[in-house]
């Protein structure tokens, strides 16, 4: 198990009702982690609608995760 720090924005923050948290996970990649979170919190977006940043750098969903990583899933944001 590894500890991952998560930050939530936009619709994901609304669904989770918090901006950040640390979790224990056995997810190997960002994609695995998002699927775990999606199932647990009923997130409405598929992976194809998100960008991911790991430790402050944009990454791909197949990027491996390490203990202590900070992960941000970034949904599309509308504004005007």
């Amino acid at each position: 198990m590894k500890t991952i720090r998560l930050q939530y924005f936009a619709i994901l923050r609304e669904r989770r009702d918090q901006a950040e948290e640390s979790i224990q996970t056995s997810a190997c990649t960002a994609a695995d982690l998002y699927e775990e979170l999606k199932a647990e919190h009923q997130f409405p977006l598929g992976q194809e609608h998100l960008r991911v940043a790991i430790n402050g750098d944009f990454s791909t969903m197949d990027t491996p995760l390490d203990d202590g990583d900070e992960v941000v899933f970034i949904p599309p944001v509308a504004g005007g």
Side-chain angles (χ1 to χ4, degrees):
M1 294 291 265
K2 54 188 82 99
T3 301
I4 303 293
R5 182 178 159 100
L6 292 160
Q7 289 188 351
Y8 299 109
F9 294 101
I11 193 168
L12 301 180
R13 180 193 290 193
E14 292 170 16
R15 283 290 172 114
R16 187 66 188 103
D17 198 29
Q18 62 189 60
E20 59 186 55
E21 68 179 326
S22 290
I23 65 163
Q24 293 284 314
T25 183
S26 58
C28 295
T29 66
D32 296 338
L33 178 60
Y34 184 71
E35 289 306 312
E36 184 180 295
L37 294 167
K38 184 178 176 186
E40 184 174 343
H41 304 298
Q42 292 79 47
F43 289 155
L45 300 173
Q47 292 180 31
E48 67 277 9
H49 298 289
L50 302 172
R51 300 226 27 217
V52 64
I54 300 173
N55 301 322
D57 294 321
F58 282 109
S59 303
T60 63
M61 287 295 217
D62 62 350
T63 299
L65 297 175
D66 293 315
D67 187 48
D69 280 348
E70 180 178 84
V71 178
V72 181
F73 293 107
I74 304 164
V77 180

